[in-house]
């Protein structure tokens, strides 16, 4: 029997570690946290130094009993939970339920799950770090105080079942402020005037340095085409604010402005065009080299951002995939290996061994000139340099070598991490930037500028180019320019003056919100994904076009209320300072009790008292009078959802539905009503509303008890594809099949299933076709 019991959080992690340790070690999983604060009570004794009242949750009692039994039969226990504060706290809780002393229990940490790392950890154990435990406890208790003390105030003053959170509410505030920026934004008109120039080098029919990314630059006759834009008049930058301004600048160029035609651009703005030839002289040419630098290896937040930009992954999705890559993948032939280092980190540090592996890979694949050793410094004050960035556990393990064992999403994320890590140790890219200043013959006071770039040495760009959140207005981008000598003549015909308008600020995506949270010091790598999930699940934030985060009406109401009565809690600086206090607790520079006392006595207790006494109940006005009594109509909420009621209730009992609900019902009635009920059921279909929203019923209700569900657009499309492919009839029996739902997803089954035992999976080609149609629908 094994003497050593190693406890990890997850079975997948345990499965990988067990392969490295041999028969003398048994590895088991705690399945995450095994003790926590009670769900139905505050669970914190404020008067006794904020002492938490931990208990084993009902769903973990079986796990705890099993661990206690194993602990009795294994003389040596090892705590091998994750290396962050959360993992340290889980280890401490394990010591308590197993009744072992955390001051001498062996604690092992590792930032990658490989044989080398696990062996080194076993050889160098430590004990539980109470600084890290106290930092986690401080966060947990502080968040509990905010959630369980502030949320009831929202229930009383706004409506029931709303929630507040120390990080959650500040994240919602960011999105609300952004939406108000957009609502208050006033577009500013401006104009761009540009011309397509042509040039043919006198000594060559095709002198050209490189390949253009603008348009086809070289014709068969050696002519080059590129663009120049009007930027200065009389040596000063010129802002063009109107059509009149544009025409004034064009007047010196053309004898007759009547040749200028007016149309519409792709953006439906005014487009002025002229095709009469104009002649220009090159007055100045400047060439200079600019270096481009690779991005640092990934932290949690930069991985989340880049996975969103390049692959459209949500932050939660990214973390789930990364967790699997970290905990271990079966590579075949009985080999199981962790493929990346720990995925919750704010460090950009790489180990010397990782840098050596990258060097060997780069020199072998690209040549010595492509390698440049780099050391990256973490900007975050609370980051731990002993930890590493997210990187492959073996750089020799290329994405191509793992294509057969990783699923599509895992391969995409691993490839991203692998390329970013290797690129971080590659040479700078060198780009030659060329700027030409042209003067038109007819308007020598005007300056028209053309810019181009050519990559002289691709360096790290040979492997990886970082994504960006910015949208470019320049459709052609910066291309490459031909060699032109100063005083050379060029000509152009296709002149365009385009009206443009400044754009409102972009809404946050999950990735850009993570970037903002990090820059403001709000939360830590482990909290970004849960925070975003929480504010969406609790109805404060919705996704527009499955991408952009927009606040709901209640988000505005709650944010304004919290800003008024809980000012300090809602300040970005204060939220950042709290995170810094957690860092101090983790390093033993501040006590858990003192930090919590300062927060409670310094602001939260007083704010709670003031909100309870002074805050009036928030009323969401509709902006209309009651048709029954003339008083204000207000929005009310019940278990069945939102409705319109009279502020004079209970004297006036008028109720109505919000306009959006009326529109939804009208559309459903038009779609379903009047059609016969299915399967010969008496009556025709009518649309009714109930506790859980609209549903279908028979016109003979309540005599006929039939109730039908309203299918989503996706389910209707799925049924349509299945019908087209003849899959709603069982080939062998002729039995009619329907789509049913289960924990594992949708499947096909007989109408009378499980009485008629016919069930089968929906074929993959059906799901592929459904995805194609849904994407096409979204584009429309």
């Amino acid at each position: 029997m094994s003497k050593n019991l190693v406890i990890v959080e997850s079975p997948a992690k345990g499965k990988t570690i067990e392969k490295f340790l041999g028969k003398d070690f048994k590895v088991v999983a705690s399945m995450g946290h095994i003790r926590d604060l009670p769900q139905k009570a505050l669970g914190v004794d404020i008067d006794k130094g904020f002492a938490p009242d931990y208990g084993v949750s009902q769903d973990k009692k079986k796990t705890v009993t099993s661990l206690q039994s194993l602990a009795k039969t294994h003389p040596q226990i090892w705590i091998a939970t994750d290396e962050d504060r959360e993992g340290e706290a889980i280890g401490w809780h394990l010591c308590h339920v197993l009744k072992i002393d955390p001051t001498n229990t062996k604690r092992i940490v590792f930032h990658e799950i490989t044989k080398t790392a696990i062996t080194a950890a076993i050889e160098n154990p430590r004990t539980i770090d109470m600084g890290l435990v106290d930092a986690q406890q401080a966060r947990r208790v502080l968040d509990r105080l905010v959630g369980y003390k502030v949320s009831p105030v929202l229930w009383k003053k706004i409506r029931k079942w709303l929630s507040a959170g120390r990080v959650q509410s500040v994240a919602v505030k960011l999105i609300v402020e952004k939406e108000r920026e957009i609502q208050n934004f006033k577009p500013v008109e401006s104009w761009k005037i540009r011309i397509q120039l042509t040039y043919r080098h006198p000594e060559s029919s095709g002198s050209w340095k490189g390949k253009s990314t603008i348009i086809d630059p070289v014709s068969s006759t050696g002519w080059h085409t590129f663009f120049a834009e009007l930027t200065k008049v009389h040596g000063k930058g010129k802002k063009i604010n109107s059509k009149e301004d544009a025409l004034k600048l064009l007047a010196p160029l053309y004898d007759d402005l009547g040749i200028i035609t007016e149309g519409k651009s792709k953006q439906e703005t005014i487009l002025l065009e002229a095709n009469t030839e104009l002649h220009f002289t090159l007055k100045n040419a400047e060439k200079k080299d600019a270096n481009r630098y690779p991005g640092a290896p990934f932290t949690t937040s930069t991985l989340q951002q880049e996975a969103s930009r390049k692959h459209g992954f949500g932050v939660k999705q990214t973390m789930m995939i990364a967790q699997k890559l970290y905990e271990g993948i079966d590579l075949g032939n009985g080999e199981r290996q962790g493929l990346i280092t720990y995925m919750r980190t704010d460090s950009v540090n790489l180990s010397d061994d990782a840098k050596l592996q990258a060097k060997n890979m780069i020199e072998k694949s690209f040549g010595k000139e492509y390698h440049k050793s780099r050391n990256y410094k973490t900007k975050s004050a609370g980051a731990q340099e002993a930890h590493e960035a997210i990187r492959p556990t073996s750089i020799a393990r290329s994405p191509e070598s793992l294509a057969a064992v990783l699923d599509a999403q895992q391969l995409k994320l691993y490839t991203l991490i692998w390329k970013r890590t290797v690129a971080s140790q590659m040479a700078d890219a060198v780009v030659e930037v060329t700027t030409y200043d042209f003067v038109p013959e007819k308007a020598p006071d005007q300056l028209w500028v053309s810019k181009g770039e050519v990559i002289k040495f691709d360096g790290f760009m040979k492997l990886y180019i970082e994504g960006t959140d910015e949208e470019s207005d320049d459709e052609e981008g910066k291309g490459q320019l031909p060699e032109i000598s100063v005083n050379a003549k060029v000509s152009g015909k296709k002149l365009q003056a385009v009206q443009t308008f400044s754009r409102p600020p972009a809404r946050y995506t999950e990735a850009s919100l993570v970037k903002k949270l990090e820059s403001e010091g709000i939360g830590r790598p482990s909290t970004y994904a849960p925070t975003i999930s929480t504010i969406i699940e609790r109805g404060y934030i919705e996704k527009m076009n499955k991408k952009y985060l927009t606040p709901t009406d209640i988000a505005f109401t709650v944010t304004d209320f919290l800003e008024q009565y809980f000012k300090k809690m809602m300040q970005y600086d204060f939220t950042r300072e709290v995170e810094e206090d957690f860092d101090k607790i983790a390093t033993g520079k501040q006590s858990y009790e003192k930090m919590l006392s300062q927060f409670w006595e310094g602001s939260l207790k007083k704010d709670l008292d003031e909100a309870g006494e002074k805050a009036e109940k928030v009323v969401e006005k509709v902006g209309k009078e009651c048709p029954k009594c003339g008083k204000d109509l207000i929005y009310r909420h019940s278990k069945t959802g939102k409705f319109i009621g009279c502020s004079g209730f209970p004297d006036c009992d008028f109720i109505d539905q919000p306009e959006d609900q009326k529109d939804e019902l009208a559309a459903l009635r038009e779609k379903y009503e009047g059609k016969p009920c299915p399967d010969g059921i008496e009556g025709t279909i009518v649309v009714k509303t109930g506790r859980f929203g609209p549903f279908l019923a028979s016109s003979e209700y309540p005599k006929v008890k039939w109730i039908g569900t309203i299918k989503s657009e996706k389910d209707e499309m799925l049924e349509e594809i299945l019908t087209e492919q003849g899959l709603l009839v069982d080939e062998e029996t002729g039995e009619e099949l329907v789509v049913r739902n289960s924990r594992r997803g949708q499947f096909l089954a007989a109408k009378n299933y499980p009485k008629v035992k016919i069930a089968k999976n929906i074929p993959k080609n059906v799901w592929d076709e459904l995805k194609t149609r849904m994407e096409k629908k979204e584009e429309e």
Side-chain angles (χ1 to χ4, degrees):
M1 177 186 259
S2 55
K3 295 178 181 178
N4 297 277
L5 181 69
V6 181
I7 306 175
V8 298
E9 294 104 322
S10 76
K13 181 178 174 181
K15 187 179 175 184
T16 309
I17 290 172
E18 198 163 42
K19 283 187 174 290
F20 302 138
L21 291 178
K23 294 178 181 179
D24 204 29
F25 289 81
K26 181 174 180 62
V27 184
V28 293
S30 70
M31 309 302 290
H33 279 277
I34 42 96
R35 287 203 313 170
D36 200 1
L37 299 173
Q39 282 193 339
K40 296 184 178 180
L42 179 65
V44 178
D45 193 330
I46 296 170
D47 297 328
K48 291 185 179 178
F50 301 90
D53 177 22
Y54 293 119
V56 177
S57 57
Q58 193 64 39
D59 64 326
K60 289 298 175 73
K61 285 186 176 178
K62 189 176 177 182
T63 301
V64 169
T65 301
S66 173
L67 290 172
Q68 287 171 337
S69 177
L70 288 166
K72 290 175 184 176
T73 59
H74 292 76
Q76 183 62 65
I77 296 172
W78 303 73
I79 303 296
T81 48
D82 287 345
E83 63 173 337
D84 56 11
R85 294 169 192 173
E86 208 72 25
E88 205 72 19
I90 292 172
W92 179 74
H93 284 298
L94 283 166
C95 290
H96 277 265
V97 299
L98 299 179
K99 295 182 173 56
I100 56 178
D101 187 353
T103 62
N104 58 34
T105 298
K106 290 187 176 181
R107 164 80 167 119
I108 58 171
V109 293
F110 37 85
H111 55 264
E112 60 181 59
I113 304 176
T114 60
K115 185 172 180 60
T116 303
I118 301 302
T119 302
I122 291 289
E123 291 171 354
N124 299 280
R126 59 171 175 80
T127 56
I128 296 291
D129 186 330
M130 286 309 299
L132 297 178
V133 173
D134 283 347
Q136 190 277 341
Q137 287 194 97
R139 181 188 294 277
R140 186 75 186 93
V141 170
L142 192 56
D143 289 348
R144 174 56 66 101
L145 290 173
V146 172
Y148 276 54
K149 290 290 188 180
V150 179
S151 296
V153 177
L154 299 180
W155 303 349
K156 187 177 178 182
K157 302 299 182 180
I158 303 177
R159 64 174 164 92
K160 280 190 174 182
W161 316 127
L162 292 171
S163 68
R166 182 183 59 85
V167 176
Q168 162 196 319
S169 297
V170 176
V172 172
K173 176 186 170 182
L174 281 169
I175 298 167
V176 166
E177 286 181 343
K178 181 70 73 176
E179 197 66 24
R180 283 186 167 140
E181 274 185 66
I182 294 167
Q183 290 170 352
N184 297 329
F185 176 78
K186 293 180 180 177
V188 176
E189 181 182 1
S190 63
W191 285 68
K192 284 184 177 181
I193 302 176
R194 62 192 304 177
I195 190 167
Q196 182 178 307
L197 299 175
T198 57
Y199 174 73
R200 187 170 187 263
H201 197 280
E203 297 176 7
S204 172
S205 62
S207 174
W208 185 257
K209 295 186 75 175
K211 189 177 179 182
S212 172
T213 58
I214 300 180
I215 51 175
D216 179 17
V218 188
S219 71
S220 58
T221 56
W223 287 96
H224 310 295
T225 57
F226 54 97
F227 288 93
E229 184 176 330
L230 175 59
T231 59
K232 291 182 180 180
V233 178
H234 297 298
K236 293 181 180 179
K238 182 65 180 175
K239 289 185 177 179
I240 312 170
N241 300 317
S242 65
K243 177 181 171 182
E244 290 70 29
D245 286 351
L247 289 171
K248 282 179 185 177
L249 291 167
L250 295 178
L253 300 173
Y254 299 102
D255 297 330
D256 179 11
L257 288 180
I259 64 165
I260 297 173
T261 60
E262 183 173 320
K264 291 285 185 183
S265 69
K266 289 180 181 178
Q267 287 72 38
E268 292 298 308
T269 60
I270 300 172
L271 172 65
L272 303 178
E273 291 185 290
N275 282 304
T276 299
E277 188 171 52
L278 297 175
H279 299 284
F280 293 78
T281 302
L282 179 61
K283 287 296 182 184
N284 186 54
E286 183 183 69
K287 290 185 180 183
K288 60 181 179 180
D289 288 348
N291 283 26
R292 304 280 190 267
Y293 308 104
F298 282 131
T299 62
T300 301
S301 69
T302 54
L303 175 62
Q304 290 169 343
Q305 292 165 47
E306 194 74 340
S308 174
R309 295 184 195 115
K310 288 191 178 290
H311 301 305
F313 292 169
V315 294
K316 185 177 179 181
Q317 180 185 13
T318 296
M319 294 312 289
M320 287 172 67
I321 300 166
Q323 179 104 20
K324 289 178 181 177
L325 294 173
Y326 165 70
E327 290 183 339
I329 298 291
D330 288 317
L331 302 180
N333 299 322
E335 185 186 0
R336 185 176 173 84
Q337 189 80 36
L339 298 181
I340 64 169
T341 52
Y342 192 54
M343 64 283 158
R344 293 186 185 92
T345 178
D346 46 13
S347 172
V348 292
N349 188 42
L350 287 179
S351 68
D352 290 340
D353 181 58
K355 286 188 280 190
L356 180 59
Q357 288 184 46
K359 177 179 183 288
N360 292 337
M361 170 63 70
I362 293 162
E363 291 184 353
K364 181 180 177 182
S365 301
F366 306 112
K368 287 186 177 182
E369 69 276 17
Y370 278 88
H371 173 254
K372 181 178 180 179
S373 182
R374 299 173 189 270
N375 295 312
Y376 293 90
K377 185 71 177 171
T378 302
K379 294 178 183 177
S380 171
Q384 300 177 57
E385 291 299 336
H387 292 175
E388 276 199 76
I390 304 168
R391 62 162 176 82
T393 55
S394 170
I395 289 170
R397 198 176 286 116
S398 68
E400 293 77 14
S401 70
L402 296 171
V405 295
L406 298 180
D407 66 30
Q409 291 186 339
Q410 290 170 347
L411 185 60
K412 284 178 180 178
L413 197 68
Y414 181 81
T415 302
L416 204 59
I417 294 166
W418 188 89
K419 285 188 173 183
R420 178 73 165 235
T421 304
V422 176
S424 76
Q425 298 299 305
M426 292 179 72
D428 301 347
V430 181
V431 178
E432 183 183 79
V433 181
T434 302
T435 303
Y436 287 154
D437 294 341
F438 294 100
V439 173
E441 287 184 359
K442 287 191 172 183
D445 58 335
Q446 293 183 3
L447 188 70
W448 294 62
V449 175
S450 184
K451 289 190 176 184
E453 293 182 354
V454 58
I455 298 172
K456 292 175 73 174
F457 177 64
D458 51 6
F460 74 93
M461 293 171 69
K462 193 175 189 73
L463 179 67
Y464 181 84
I465 298 175
E466 189 173 0
T468 176
D469 295 318
E470 303 300 319
E471 292 181 13
S472 175
D473 286 320
D474 190 350
E475 292 178 17
E476 285 81 17
K478 285 183 180 177
Q480 300 166 7
L481 299 175
E483 286 285 351
I484 308 178
S485 301
V486 173
N487 296 323
K489 307 294 183 184
V490 298
S491 61
K493 279 188 176 181
K494 296 179 181 178
L495 182 141
Q496 292 185 334
V498 186
Q499 181 191 41
T500 63
F501 291 93
S502 57
R503 295 176 179 174
R507 289 184 173 89
Y508 288 114
T509 61
E510 286 191 10
S512 61
L513 180 61
V514 164
K515 187 176 182 180
K516 180 66 175 176
L517 289 170
E518 185 182 40
S519 70
E520 294 288 345
I522 300 167
R524 282 292 182 263
S526 60
T527 65
Y528 301 140
T531 297
I532 293 172
S533 295
T534 298
I535 60 179
I536 292 172
E537 287 164 7
R538 294 186 179 171
Y540 287 118
I541 303 301
E542 294 175 335
K543 277 193 177 180
M544 177 189 291
N545 300 331
K546 296 186 177 181
K547 183 177 181 182
Y548 298 104
L549 303 176
T550 60
T552 58
D553 290 343
I554 199 63
F556 287 95
T557 304
V558 170
T559 297
D560 291 344
F561 181 88
L562 293 175
E563 282 268 79
Q564 185 174 355
Y565 294 103
F566 296 89
K567 285 181 183 175
K568 193 164 186 180
M569 185 186 87
M570 295 293 283
Q571 289 172 358
Y572 300 134
D573 286 348
F574 177 71
T575 309
R576 182 179 63 252
E577 286 164 9
V578 168
E579 294 293 344
E580 290 168 357
D581 285 340
F582 293 149
D583 295 338
K584 290 176 185 175
I585 294 170
T587 54
K589 294 176 183 175
Q590 187 165 332
S591 76
Y592 159 93
E593 294 86 356
K594 184 181 178 183
M595 184 262 175
L596 291 172
S597 179
Q598 286 173 344
F599 178 80
W600 176 253
E601 298 293 343
S603 61
L604 187 57
K605 185 180 178 183
K606 286 185 258 184
D607 290 345
L608 285 164
D609 291 341
E610 186 176 327
E613 290 173 15
K614 295 183 180 180
E616 295 181 0
K617 187 166 177 64
V618 176
V619 175
E620 298 175 73
K621 291 186 178 182
V622 176
K624 294 180 181 178
E625 291 183 350
C626 174
K628 202 168 180 180
C629 71
K631 291 185 177 179
D632 286 334
L633 290 178
I634 59 173
Y635 289 112
R636 293 185 180 277
H637 299 268
S638 70
K639 287 182 179 179
T640 60
K642 188 175 180 180
F643 68 96
I644 293 171
C646 180
S647 57
F649 180 83
D651 297 328
C652 178
D653 61 359
F654 175 81
I655 61 169
D656 197 5
Q657 291 175 316
E659 289 301 317
D660 57 342
Q661 290 182 19
K662 285 183 180 178
D663 293 342
E664 182 188 355
L665 277 174
L668 290 171
R669 283 176 177 142
E670 184 179 344
K671 183 174 182 178
Y672 290 106
E673 288 196 343
K675 295 178 181 178
C677 293
D679 302 324
I681 294 167
E682 187 179 350
T684 57
I685 294 174
V686 292
V687 177
K688 291 185 174 291
T689 55
R691 182 176 176 184
F692 302 106
F695 65 93
L696 306 180
S698 167
S699 57
E700 297 300 312
Y701 180 87
K703 184 176 81 170
V704 176
K705 303 291 187 185
W706 172 77
I707 290 177
T709 56
I710 295 171
K711 294 186 179 76
S712 67
E713 184 179 43
K714 182 180 177 181
D715 284 344
E716 285 190 342
M717 210 173 276
L718 174 61
E719 204 166 285
E720 184 181 293
I721 296 166
L722 290 166
T723 303
E724 289 170 5
Q725 296 191 13
L727 296 173
L728 292 180
V729 176
D730 183 54
E731 287 183 359
E732 294 180 12
T733 64
E735 189 79 29
E736 186 179 348
L737 304 179
V738 293
V739 177
R740 292 189 177 273
N741 297 304
S742 73
R743 279 186 185 179
R744 295 182 180 180
Q746 292 172 303
F747 65 101
L748 292 174
K751 259 194 173 182
N752 296 326
Y753 179 85
K755 188 177 178 181
V756 177
K757 297 188 183 299
I758 298 175
K760 53 180 72 177
N761 292 328
I762 296 172
K764 183 180 181 297
N765 71 300
V766 172
W767 294 119
D768 292 341
E769 177 62 21
L770 178 63
K771 183 183 178 183
T772 301
R773 293 192 189 184
M774 290 295 291
E775 287 173 351
K776 190 175 180 182
K777 183 78 176 174
E778 282 175 26
E779 289 171 5
E780 291 171 356

